[in-house]
Amino acid sequence: HVQLVESGGGSVQAGGSLRLSCAASGYTVSHNCMAWFRQAPGKEREGVARIYNDYNGGVGTDYVDSVKGRFTISRDGASNSVYLQMNSLKPDDTAMYYCAGSPHCAGLKTYHYVYWGQGTQVTVS
């Protein structure tokens, strides 16, 4: 049984930082593609960042343009967790943030991911 549990959301002023965590059980994050998505009220869920094992044996990351240079995705095998460090937050970053996982790393669309967490709310004012 795969479970992804997000934490770390909250309310912050513009320019501030938050670090989101996603703890996985029944699923090894370092062996699979992991991603963060977000969904603002009235908007579609969008991919924010993903982390994966690249063809060279290293770790690859991708980001949506709107967060490049501000957000950093990482993972930790020991804790079997994925993180999203969010700096220089803007009001437009306000959304529910979701952790997602997939055995295959085809991209940053919702249909690429099989497993989902329940989300953690981020509010930037």
Side-chain angles (χ1 to χ4, degrees):
H1 175 65
V2 176
Q3 191 172 19
L4 303 176
V5 180
E6 302 96 333
S7 61
S11 296
V12 64
Q13 290 188 336
S17 299
L18 283 173
R19 186 188 191 218
L20 305 184
S21 299
C22 171
S25 58
Y27 189 74
T28 304
V29 300
S30 60
H31 293 176
N32 294 279
C33 186
M34 299 297 297
W36 285 96
F37 285 76
R38 66 185 180 186
Q39 188 167 18
K43 294 188 177 181
E44 292 187 354
R45 192 170 297 190
E46 69 164 347
V48 175
R50 65 170 179 155
I51 187 165
Y52 55 94
N53 297 316
D54 67 22
Y55 64 92
N56 285 328
V59 178
T61 56
D62 290 320
Y63 299 90
V64 68
D65 286 346
S66 59
V67 307
K68 284 180 180 177
R70 300 188 299 123
F71 290 11
T72 303
I73 188 170
S74 63
R75 69 189 188 191
D76 178 59
S79 61
N80 202 32
S81 297
V82 178
Y83 304 96
L84 186 68
Q85 177 66 44
M86 305 186 296
N87 298 328
S88 302
L89 282 161
K90 305 174 182 179
D92 284 350
D93 296 318
T94 295
M96 185 71 79
Y97 282 71
Y98 298 90
C99 177
S102 174
H104 309 289
C105 214
L108 255 181
K109 299 296 185 181
T110 55
Y111 54 78
H112 290 140
Y113 294 84
V114 178
Y115 304 109
W116 292 87
Q118 293 300 305
T120 185
Q121 178 68 37
V122 172
T123 303
V124 185
S125 59

